[in-house]
Amino acid sequence: MKNIKQQHIAVFTSGGDSPGMNAALFGIAKKAEQSGMRLSGIRKGYEGLIDGDLVPLDTHKLQKMAHRGGTILKTARSKRFLMLEGRQRALENLKKNDVDALIAIGGDGTFKGLLAFSEICDLPFIGIPGTIDNDISGTDYTLGFDSAVNTAIENIDKIQDTAESHNRVFIVEVMGRDSGYIAIHSGLMVGADAILIPESGADFIYLLDKIKNYDSEDAFLIVISEGDEIGAELVASKIKEINTNIDLRITRMGHVQRGGNPSALDRMLGIRLGVAAVDALLKGRKNIMVGVLNNRLHSTPFEEVVKQHQINDELQGLLELFGNEKYNERIGN
Amino acid sequence: MKNIKQQHIAVFTSGGDSPGMNAALFGIAKKAEQSGMRLSGIRKGYEGLIDGDLVPLDTHKLQKMAHRGGTILKTARSKRFLMLEGRQRALENLKKNDVDALIAIGGDGTFKGLLAFSEICDLPFIGIPGTIDNDISGTDYTLGFDSAVNTAIENIDKIQDTAESHNRVFIVEVMGRDSGYIAIHSGLMVGADAILIPESGADFIYLLDKIKNYDSEDAFLIVISEGDEIGAELVASKIKEINTNIDLRITRMGHVQRGGNPSALDRMLGIRLGVAAVDALLKGRKNIMVGVLNNRLHSTPFEEVVKQHQINDELQGLLELFGNEKYNERIGN
Amino acid sequence: MKNIKQQHIAVFTSGGDSPGMNAALFGIAKKAEQSGMRLSGIRKGYEGLIDGDLVPLDTHKLQKMAHRGGTILKTARSKRFLMLEGRQRALENLKKNDVDALIAIGGDGTFKGLLAFSEICDLPFIGIPGTIDNDISGTDYTLGFDSAVNTAIENIDKIQDTAESHNRVFIVEVMGRDSGYIAIHSGLMVGADAILIPESGADFIYLLDKIKNYDSEDAFLIVISEGDEIGAELVASKIKEINTNIDLRITRMGHVQRGGNPSALDRMLGIRLGVAAVDALLKGRKNIMVGVLNNRLHSTPFEEVVKQHQINDELQGLLELFGNEKYNERIGN
Amino acid sequence: MKNIKQQHIAVFTSGGDSPGMNAALFGIAKKAEQSGMRLSGIRKGYEGLIDGDLVPLDTHKLQKMAHRGGTILKTARSKRFLMLEGRQRALENLKKNDVDALIAIGGDGTFKGLLAFSEICDLPFIGIPGTIDNDISGTDYTLGFDSAVNTAIENIDKIQDTAESHNRVFIVEVMGRDSGYIAIHSGLMVGADAILIPESGADFIYLLDKIKNYDSEDAFLIVISEGDEIGAELVASKIKEINTNIDLRITRMGHVQRGGNPSALDRMLGIRLGVAAVDALLKGRKNIMVGVLNNRLHSTPFEEVVKQHQINDELQGLLELFGNEKYNERIGN
């Protein structure tokens, strides 16, 4: 049996790309190199796992790419891996390439895939949470969330310039699928007048109440999560019904939020989690996700990783205080 | 009669806001102050002119705001000024406030308004071209164009990160109303695979020809002007018809392009044109737009200012070379 | 006695300015307004406290300024407050202005000042940690640290472009006074080849060992803390002694790191701590600093707030792994 | 003899790197590819020319790098090329590699090198002006100048945040060697209170006059060119002599100004000049620099390219109006 330090690790990125994935690859490569391990990258997520699309990873090249957005290994969603046949082909290719351990960077779907794969493959798997949605339990931050929020607020700041020049109402839709986490955070940070998220339908009523009295002597900013069931178009049409004088625009932030160089926090998080993933392998751990919880490294077994929308009491309180208080309350009644 | 140096100038911004307007206000204020003139700002464009909404402008405060996006005087479109009654009220308010000259920062619609106003008001008017669309004759650049393009390419660079991570086709819609100027420039700058503009319907055919052979082994970027008659949605559906394997996304850049701190070029242009506008008044000029043509200050009578889409031969050549060559040509047949 | 909800709070910023201070002011203002409290700002830190330089604070205006760097209340260092006479004058002015509670945003020196002041003034004081150095116990992050690091890495990324174009050695000095915290973090994030900090003199020896074999076929980046006792100049001259072929440049990041719009994390932190400070007053707390520890709000009595350089084991491990491993180890001996 | 369309072009970057060089390489590659020409890159400027360090250039890869700072071909200064022996070795290597034409991107020193080389080598040479200093005749802009100024003003904006928070005097040194061009432009754009440049020693006297009355109730910003003979340190010490209450800081912008993604203008300029250089070869031109003068493509024979500091009358007027008016004039005496 191979000494653990002579093992061959393979790493891949999966699901939506997020800023910080390359920093995580750098962290993995540096620690693997120091430990004498061999490291390969698998291209295009589970698709490459099935097709045996392995490439060598060079630490020095990753050092130069750690500050870049996206993922140099490319990523994809894979239907084939949902089928046993796909997973069997993946297993064959791992054996053929003499792989001893797998590290995957992705979201909760990625970890579910690993769990399914573990039924036929007993190699150790380690997961790193990489998604801009920040909706995974067991870690305070997922890779890419802080960068996505930074991109969102920089762009919303620009929209404020034009909103204030025209005394306009702006509805800005930010990403987050079924989670309002990006919307809450970016909305608070830009001083939004209202924040609409999937988790809280009642906010829409407050908004309509508030905007009824809007006098067009200032900008009025609404941040809405793409996952909000009401949707920007319906919000816009309801507002226009209520207050016909309003000059209103909708802007969708879109995929801009996924790209760009990772923020400081995401670079550091990527490096920390990349090193922690290799450390976990060195300690004989398997089938866990490494994360940072309460600012300390933390492991969570794949079975316990769940999708989570962390609107804790403090955040809920801020949301009510800043975004969604009733207009009447604000003016002191 | 008042000595020219004791005159009272009023300035306003009109039409869509654009980065650099505050820099122009700073240039005006500094030159007016040096010349001993009194300066007022009119809020909300022609609406404020009609309502006599004048505020004093402070050079020192403008010095601190010159680097900021939007316009501190706010801007608006005015239906009332299209009517003689509106213009008459504006005239009364100018007289009441003892205004001797007007400077307006805006687009060609703004200058048409001044021309109409000149029929009943013989005060000297000076115009400064401020619009992100760069579609005004008599100046190489309009205030805000360079900033809008810089914002567009920074965001498209971010989209490229995610496009390349997924080998996706991205259609990015940029601003420009009926002008493709922002689309051509930003498309060339980001190395777009195709650029679709209102001025050239034929490009769509080249695009379809090119994408037929796209093998999904790389990102494929299409930049389209919002004014293009085909439109992003139709382009997307046609592409999907031709190549069903394609993973395609549409992103609309939206009002982000109007905001943000002005670029270096726009700050300098604002200062230059602001100073030039006051200089023109000092020299007794009236009813002209000041611009920078061939890198030198230049005046154009309002009558001769026309909307222009400057796709000169060089630009057309670049467009064909980079964006819209037939795919077959690129691969050497 | 006044009902707590009718109290008059005064807030000031003190010491070096840091991005996020305006966000904290916004958080304070919003919560105070909701609670029916009156809020004043004191200009120029302790200097304004002594001189009774109070200004009313407007929530709506702060909403528009929350995303801006610096502090709208201005800040200063005060020698007069070190003297009993200064503190007595401050007390008189607080009484004269009917102030019921004080909130101070600043570093450990600021809190020491409050502690001294508490000997003659029994009003409740609440502190918010605001310094880019992140060297205060009782909070994971101080306001401004994340922004300063983001600014540092964006600029170092730019320097890397030119370093790699020339295969140059660059020594980049970042801020941090006697703390190496900014240097460690930014150095790790940019993939520095060596990181020199006050806390660890031995690293210099590793660096010299490493650079002896540097072959000028790539950039070589050294990040050094301004507080490092060896200093950039001496490092440079020692390197040139050892390897005379080296093309070396020194860049000092300087005060750029203090400015700029606060990052996402700092905006959120400012809002959270601002609200928490008012909450603490509402709950009758006094003489504590509010912070975020392990991602949860946390209070620390002023007596227990100490200067801290948080180089925990994980961070120390990363530093050794990335920045300061011996060159020979890296190449596998 | 080879048909011109079958020729082998080699390109190199020389002197200091500047943002936009990669965009120019992309322009060259695209046009060469379309024309059926073969293209090689020479690494490390004249050093690589002497050593025959040629690499193939791939248009598609350059398309992905066009938006990046620095130069992928790397650059260097070469003492060997100053010697006939070096140039002879370069000639041999060009022959050995069957090179038919050379394109060089660099400053006036680069073009002087080509002129010297033309004495022994009759291949056609084309130059593209690439330097952040903007000090070359025959073109309105050199590649990199606009990017450098944008970087400078973004950083000075950040410094203003902290300067205003502390009511401090800041002396900011920007690049430009013996040219004050970056200092004038960035100084005007940020609303500097004084601008000190090599071309105008008298400004220092105005500055001292102005600062004598500075009351420390605001920030005071001095932008100085690195080439100014007085220097930031001496300016600082003289100011402190005159006004002992002043809280003053010096910041040197340094090599940050050379790096970073090229601005919109520089990307476009790079593409335009790259295409124009190949076009010139196709038209049989030789020993000329291509530039953009008065917004049109323009050729200048190497013999006529001179170093130039374009402080024309308009710019001089702005400098006097904004930066260096006497303080007494500003306050109206």
Side-chain angles (χ1 to χ4, degrees):
Chain A
M1 191 189 150
K2 261 192 270 189
N3 181 307
I4 199 160
K5 295 216 166 182
Q6 298 163 330
Q7 288 192 346
H8 178 200
I9 308 178
V11 57
F12 64 98
T13 51
S14 176
D17 64 308
S18 64
M21 284 181 162
N22 290 327
L25 294 176
F26 176 46
I28 292 167
K30 191 83 180 184
K31 185 68 191 173
E33 182 187 61
Q34 187 214 37
S35 309
M37 294 160 130
R38 183 177 150 214
L39 179 68
S40 295
I42 298 167
R43 295 176 74 245
K44 300 184 192 173
Y46 282 114
E47 288 292 298
L49 195 64
I50 295 171
D51 297 334
D53 189 356
L54 270 73
V55 291
L57 283 183
D58 176 65
T59 307
H60 187 67
K61 195 187 154 195
L62 282 168
Q63 183 182 2
K64 304 295 177 191
M65 295 299 294
H67 72 293
R68 304 287 306 281
T71 160
I72 61 161
L73 287 180
K74 296 188 183 268
T75 181
R77 304 189 192 275
S78 172
K79 285 181 189 160
R80 291 190 290 160
F81 200 76
L82 298 178
M83 321 292 276
L84 182 59
E85 197 195 324
R87 296 197 290 275
Q88 280 168 335
R89 278 197 53 196
L91 180 58
E92 286 160 30
N93 273 312
L94 287 179
K95 282 181 185 164
K96 198 187 298 174
N97 284 287
D98 202 24
V99 170
D100 300 299
L102 267 188
I103 300 175
I105 311 174
D108 66 310
T110 302
F111 306 142
K112 286 208 182 72
L114 288 178
L115 212 50
F117 194 31
S118 71
E119 290 166 19
I120 61 165
C121 173
D122 66 352
L123 294 180
F125 302 152
I126 306 290
I128 293 177
T131 160
I132 63 167
D133 296 335
N134 210 30
D135 57 358
I136 294 178
S137 66
T139 193
D140 291 334
Y141 288 100
T142 55
L143 268 185
F145 170 69
D146 186 62
S147 303
V149 174
N150 271 295
T151 296
I153 63 174
E154 281 166 25
N155 274 330
I156 299 176
D157 286 347
K158 293 188 181 187
I159 289 171
Q160 294 269 51
D161 286 341
T162 186
E164 281 169 27
S165 296
H166 286 273
N167 290 341
R168 260 181 194 150
V169 174
F170 258 93
I171 303 179
V172 180
E173 185 193 278
V174 296
M175 280 195 157
R177 291 182 303 178
D178 57 344
S179 155
Y181 213 51
I182 294 180
I184 297 177
H185 278 77
S186 60
L188 286 170
M189 290 168 193
V190 298
D193 295 283
I195 300 171
L196 297 178
I197 55 169
E199 292 85 350
S200 168
D203 300 334
F204 187 41
I205 298 159
Y206 292 144
L207 165 61
L208 292 180
D209 199 35
K210 193 170 177 177
I211 209 150
K212 215 159 41 187
N213 299 298
Y214 167 66
D215 59 4
S216 298
E217 274 308 306
D218 200 357
F220 189 100
L221 177 68
I222 300 161
V223 173
I224 185 170
S225 175
E226 64 173 353
D228 187 80
E229 59 180 9
I230 300 169
E233 295 293 350
L234 186 57
V235 170
S237 71
K238 285 280 174 197
I239 288 174
K240 283 178 186 163
E241 272 177 34
I242 281 176
N243 189 331
T244 53
N245 283 324
I246 282 179
D247 184 11
L248 182 146
R249 294 287 186 285
I250 298 174
T251 293
R252 290 188 169 79
M253 204 62 75
H255 281 75
V256 169
Q257 292 161 91
R258 288 201 176 281
N261 290 354
S263 67
L265 189 149
D266 278 326
R267 291 199 203 183
M268 194 69 188
L269 187 63
I271 288 172
R272 289 174 76 182
L273 295 184
V275 171
V278 178
D279 260 334
L281 288 175
L282 288 169
K283 287 175 185 154
R285 305 294 303 271
K286 63 187 296 182
N287 298 340
I288 55 160
M289 182 195 85
V290 291
V292 168
L293 200 64
N294 296 336
N295 215 20
R296 294 284 174 269
L297 292 173
H298 183 84
S299 306
T300 311
F302 285 146
E303 295 85 354
E304 297 172 21
V305 175
V306 291
K307 251 194 142 166
Q308 199 183 44
H309 306 162
Q310 308 172 4
I311 306 191
N312 60 26
D313 286 353
E314 188 200 350
L315 199 53
Q316 183 63 37
L318 292 176
L319 188 58
E320 285 166 18
L321 176 59
F322 286 89
N324 300 328
E325 90 282 28
K326 289 191 202 169
Y327 190 76
N328 287 341
E329 286 174 10
R330 194 172 73 138
I331 58 174
N333 300 330
Chain B
M1 191 188 148
K2 261 193 270 189
N3 180 308
I4 197 160
K5 296 218 166 183
Q6 298 163 330
Q7 289 193 346
H8 178 200
I9 309 178
V11 58
F12 64 98
T13 51
S14 176
D17 63 309
S18 65
M21 284 181 161
N22 290 328
L25 294 176
F26 176 45
I28 292 167
K30 191 82 180 184
K31 185 67 192 174
E33 181 188 61
Q34 188 213 37
S35 309
M37 295 160 129
R38 183 179 151 214
L39 179 68
S40 295
I42 299 167
R43 295 176 74 244
K44 301 184 191 172
Y46 282 116
E47 287 292 298
L49 195 65
I50 295 171
D51 297 333
D53 189 356
L54 270 72
V55 290
L57 283 182
D58 175 64
T59 307
H60 187 67
K61 193 185 155 195
L62 282 168
Q63 182 183 1
K64 304 294 178 192
M65 295 299 294
H67 71 292
R68 303 288 306 281
T71 160
I72 60 162
L73 287 180
K74 296 187 182 267
T75 181
R77 302 188 194 277
S78 172
K79 284 181 190 162
R80 291 191 291 160
F81 200 76
L82 298 178
M83 320 292 276
L84 182 58
E85 196 194 325
R87 296 197 291 274
Q88 279 167 336
R89 278 196 53 195
L91 180 58
E92 286 161 29
N93 274 312
L94 288 179
K95 281 182 186 163
K96 197 186 299 172
N97 283 288
D98 202 25
V99 171
D100 300 299
L102 265 189
I103 300 177
I105 311 175
D108 66 309
T110 303
F111 306 142
K112 286 208 182 72
L114 288 177
L115 212 51
F117 195 32
S118 71
E119 289 167 20
I120 62 166
C121 172
D122 67 351
L123 294 180
F125 303 152
I126 306 290
I128 292 177
T131 161
I132 63 167
D133 296 335
N134 210 29
D135 57 357
I136 294 177
S137 67
T139 193
D140 292 333
Y141 287 99
T142 55
L143 267 184
F145 170 70
D146 186 62
S147 303
V149 174
N150 270 296
T151 296
I153 63 174
E154 281 166 26
N155 273 331
I156 298 176
D157 285 348
K158 293 188 180 185
I159 288 171
Q160 293 269 49
D161 286 341
T162 187
E164 282 169 26
S165 295
H166 287 274
N167 291 341
R168 259 182 195 149
V169 174
F170 257 93
I171 302 179
V172 180
E173 185 192 278
V174 296
M175 280 195 157
R177 292 182 302 178
D178 57 344
S179 155
Y181 212 52
I182 293 180
I184 298 176
H185 278 77
S186 60
L188 286 170
M189 288 168 194
V190 298
D193 295 283
I195 300 170
L196 298 177
I197 55 169
E199 292 85 350
S200 168
D203 301 334
F204 187 40
I205 298 160
Y206 291 143
L207 164 60
L208 291 181
D209 199 34
K210 193 170 177 177
I211 209 150
K212 213 158 43 185
N213 299 297
Y214 167 66
D215 58 5
S216 297
E217 276 307 306
D218 200 358
F220 189 99
L221 177 68
I222 301 161
V223 172
I224 185 170
S225 175
E226 63 174 353
D228 187 79
E229 59 180 11
I230 299 170
E233 296 293 350
L234 186 57
V235 170
S237 70
K238 285 280 175 196
I239 288 175
K240 283 178 186 164
E241 271 177 36
I242 280 176
N243 189 330
T244 52
N245 283 324
I246 282 178
D247 185 10
L248 182 147
R249 294 287 186 286
I250 298 174
T251 293
R252 289 187 170 79
M253 203 62 75
H255 282 74
V256 169
Q257 293 161 91
R258 288 202 175 281
N261 291 355
S263 67
L265 189 148
D266 278 326
R267 291 199 203 182
M268 194 69 189
L269 188 63
I271 289 172
R272 290 174 76 182
L273 296 184
V275 171
V278 177
D279 259 334
L281 288 175
L282 287 169
K283 286 175 185 153
R285 306 294 304 272
K286 63 186 297 182
N287 299 340
I288 54 160
M289 181 194 84
V290 290
V292 168
L293 201 64
N294 297 335
N295 216 21
R296 294 282 173 271
L297 292 173
H298 184 83
S299 307
T300 311
F302 287 145
E303 295 86 354
E304 296 171 22
V305 175
V306 291
K307 250 193 144 167
Q308 199 182 44
H309 306 163
Q310 308 172 4
I311 306 191
N312 61 26
D313 287 352
E314 189 201 348
L315 200 52
Q316 183 63 37
L318 293 176
L319 187 59
E320 285 165 18
L321 175 59
F322 286 88
N324 300 329
E325 90 282 27
K326 288 191 200 168
Y327 190 76
N328 287 340
E329 285 176 9
R330 193 172 71 139
I331 57 174
N333 301 329
Chain C
M1 191 189 148
K2 260 193 271 189
N3 180 307
I4 197 160
K5 295 216 167 184
Q6 298 163 331
Q7 288 193 345
H8 178 201
I9 308 178
V11 57
F12 63 98
T13 51
S14 176
D17 63 310
S18 65
M21 285 180 161
N22 290 327
L25 295 176
F26 176 45
I28 292 167
K30 192 83 180 184
K31 184 68 191 172
E33 182 188 61
Q34 188 214 37
S35 310
M37 293 160 131
R38 183 177 150 214
L39 180 66
S40 295
I42 299 168
R43 296 175 75 244
K44 301 184 192 173
Y46 282 114
E47 287 292 298
L49 196 64
I50 295 170
D51 296 334
D53 189 355
L54 271 72
V55 291
L57 283 183
D58 176 64
T59 307
H60 187 67
K61 195 186 153 194
L62 281 168
Q63 183 182 2
K64 305 294 178 191
M65 294 300 292
H67 72 293
R68 304 287 306 282
T71 160
I72 62 161
L73 287 180
K74 296 187 183 268
T75 180
R77 304 189 192 276
S78 172
K79 285 181 189 161
R80 291 190 291 160
F81 200 76
L82 298 178
M83 319 293 276
L84 181 59
E85 196 193 325
R87 296 197 290 274
Q88 280 168 335
R89 277 196 55 196
L91 179 59
E92 286 160 29
N93 274 312
L94 287 179
K95 282 183 185 162
K96 197 187 299 173
N97 284 287
D98 201 25
V99 171
D100 300 299
L102 265 189
I103 300 176
I105 311 174
D108 66 310
T110 303
F111 306 143
K112 286 208 182 73
L114 288 177
L115 212 50
F117 195 30
S118 71
E119 289 166 19
I120 62 166
C121 172
D122 65 353
L123 295 180
F125 302 152
I126 307 289
I128 292 177
T131 160
I132 63 168
D133 296 335
N134 209 31
D135 57 357
I136 294 177
S137 67
T139 193
D140 292 333
Y141 288 99
T142 56
L143 268 184
F145 170 69
D146 186 62
S147 304
V149 174
N150 271 295
T151 296
I153 64 175
E154 281 166 26
N155 274 331
I156 299 176
D157 286 348
K158 294 188 181 187
I159 288 170
Q160 293 269 48
D161 286 341
T162 187
E164 282 170 26
S165 296
H166 286 273
N167 291 342
R168 260 182 195 150
V169 174
F170 257 93
I171 302 178
V172 180
E173 185 192 278
V174 296
M175 279 194 158
R177 292 181 303 179
D178 57 344
S179 155
Y181 213 51
I182 293 179
I184 298 177
H185 278 77
S186 60
L188 286 170
M189 290 169 192
V190 298
D193 295 283
I195 300 171
L196 298 178
I197 55 170
E199 292 86 350
S200 168
D203 301 334
F204 187 40
I205 298 160
Y206 292 144
L207 164 61
L208 292 181
D209 199 34
K210 193 171 177 176
I211 209 151
K212 213 158 43 183
N213 300 298
Y214 167 66
D215 59 5
S216 298
E217 275 308 305
D218 200 357
F220 189 100
L221 177 68
I222 300 161
V223 172
I224 185 170
S225 174
E226 64 174 352
D228 187 79
E229 58 180 11
I230 299 170
E233 296 293 350
L234 186 56
V235 170
S237 71
K238 284 281 175 195
I239 287 174
K240 283 178 187 164
E241 271 177 34
I242 280 177
N243 189 331
T244 52
N245 282 325
I246 283 178
D247 184 11
L248 182 148
R249 294 288 186 285
I250 298 174
T251 293
R252 290 188 169 79
M253 204 64 75
H255 281 75
V256 169
Q257 293 161 92
R258 288 201 175 281
N261 290 355
S263 67
L265 190 149
D266 278 325
R267 290 199 204 183
M268 194 71 187
L269 188 63
I271 288 171
R272 290 174 76 183
L273 296 184
V275 171
V278 178
D279 260 335
L281 287 175
L282 288 168
K283 287 174 185 154
R285 305 293 304 272
K286 63 186 296 183
N287 299 339
I288 54 161
M289 182 194 83
V290 291
V292 169
L293 201 63
N294 297 336
N295 215 23
R296 294 281 173 273
L297 291 173
H298 183 84
S299 307
T300 311
F302 286 145
E303 295 86 353
E304 297 171 21
V305 175
V306 290
K307 252 194 141 165
Q308 199 182 46
H309 306 163
Q310 308 172 3
I311 306 190
N312 60 27
D313 286 352
E314 188 200 349
L315 200 53
Q316 183 63 36
L318 293 175
L319 189 57
E320 285 166 19
L321 175 60
F322 286 88
N324 300 328
E325 90 283 28
K326 288 191 201 168
Y327 190 76
N328 288 341
E329 286 175 10
R330 192 172 74 139
I331 57 175
N333 301 329
Chain D
M1 191 189 146
K2 261 193 271 188
N3 180 308
I4 198 160
K5 294 217 167 183
Q6 298 163 330
Q7 288 192 345
H8 178 201
I9 307 178
V11 57
F12 63 99
T13 51
S14 176
D17 65 309
S18 65
M21 284 181 162
N22 290 327
L25 294 176
F26 176 45
I28 291 167
K30 191 83 181 184
K31 185 67 191 171
E33 182 188 61
Q34 187 214 37
S35 310
M37 293 160 131
R38 183 177 149 214
L39 180 68
S40 296
I42 298 168
R43 297 175 74 244
K44 301 184 191 173
Y46 282 114
E47 288 290 298
L49 195 64
I50 295 171
D51 297 333
D53 189 357
L54 270 73
V55 290
L57 282 183
D58 175 65
T59 308
H60 187 67
K61 194 187 153 194
L62 282 168
Q63 182 183 1
K64 305 294 178 191
M65 295 299 294
H67 71 293
R68 304 287 305 283
T71 161
I72 61 162
L73 288 180
K74 295 187 182 268
T75 181
R77 303 190 192 276
S78 172
K79 285 181 190 161
R80 291 191 290 160
F81 200 75
L82 297 178
M83 320 292 275
L84 182 58
E85 197 193 324
R87 296 196 291 273
Q88 280 168 334
R89 278 196 54 194
L91 180 58
E92 286 161 29
N93 273 312
L94 287 179
K95 282 183 184 163
K96 197 188 299 174
N97 283 288
D98 201 26
V99 171
D100 300 300
L102 265 189
I103 300 176
I105 311 175
D108 67 310
T110 303
F111 306 143
K112 286 208 181 71
L114 288 177
L115 212 51
F117 196 29
S118 71
E119 289 168 18
I120 62 165
C121 172
D122 66 352
L123 294 180
F125 302 151
I126 305 291
I128 293 177
T131 160
I132 63 167
D133 296 335
N134 210 29
D135 58 356
I136 294 178
S137 67
T139 193
D140 291 334
Y141 288 100
T142 56
L143 268 184
F145 170 69
D146 185 62
S147 303
V149 174
N150 271 295
T151 297
I153 63 175
E154 281 166 25
N155 274 331
I156 299 176
D157 285 348
K158 293 189 181 186
I159 289 170
Q160 294 269 50
D161 286 342
T162 188
E164 281 169 26
S165 296
H166 287 273
N167 291 341
R168 259 181 195 150
V169 174
F170 258 93
I171 303 179
V172 180
E173 185 192 277
V174 295
M175 280 195 159
R177 291 182 302 178
D178 57 344
S179 155
Y181 213 52
I182 293 179
I184 297 176
H185 279 79
S186 59
L188 286 170
M189 290 168 192
V190 298
D193 295 283
I195 300 171
L196 297 178
I197 55 169
E199 293 85 348
S200 168
D203 301 334
F204 187 40
I205 298 159
Y206 292 143
L207 164 62
L208 292 180
D209 199 35
K210 193 170 178 176
I211 209 150
K212 213 158 42 185
N213 299 298
Y214 167 66
D215 58 5
S216 299
E217 276 307 306
D218 200 358
F220 189 100
L221 177 68
I222 301 161
V223 173
I224 184 169
S225 174
E226 64 173 353
D228 187 80
E229 60 180 10
I230 298 168
E233 296 293 350
L234 186 58
V235 171
S237 71
K238 284 281 174 196
I239 288 174
K240 283 178 186 164
E241 271 178 34
I242 281 177
N243 189 331
T244 53
N245 282 324
I246 283 179
D247 185 9
L248 182 147
R249 294 287 186 285
I250 298 174
T251 293
R252 290 187 169 80
M253 204 63 75
H255 282 76
V256 170
Q257 293 161 91
R258 288 200 175 281
N261 290 354
S263 67
L265 189 148
D266 278 325
R267 291 199 204 183
M268 194 70 187
L269 188 62
I271 288 171
R272 290 174 76 182
L273 295 184
V275 171
V278 178
D279 260 335
L281 287 175
L282 287 168
K283 287 174 185 154
R285 305 293 304 271
K286 63 187 294 182
N287 299 340
I288 55 161
M289 182 195 84
V290 291
V292 168
L293 201 62
N294 296 336
N295 215 20
R296 295 282 173 269
L297 291 173
H298 183 83
S299 307
T300 311
F302 285 146
E303 295 85 355
E304 297 171 20
V305 175
V306 291
K307 253 194 142 165
Q308 199 182 44
H309 306 162
Q310 307 172 4
I311 307 190
N312 60 26
D313 285 353
E314 188 200 350
L315 199 53
Q316 184 62 37
L318 293 176
L319 188 58
E320 284 166 19
L321 176 58
F322 286 89
N324 301 328
E325 89 282 27
K326 287 192 204 170
Y327 190 76
N328 288 340
E329 286 176 10
R330 193 173 74 139
I331 57 174
N333 301 330

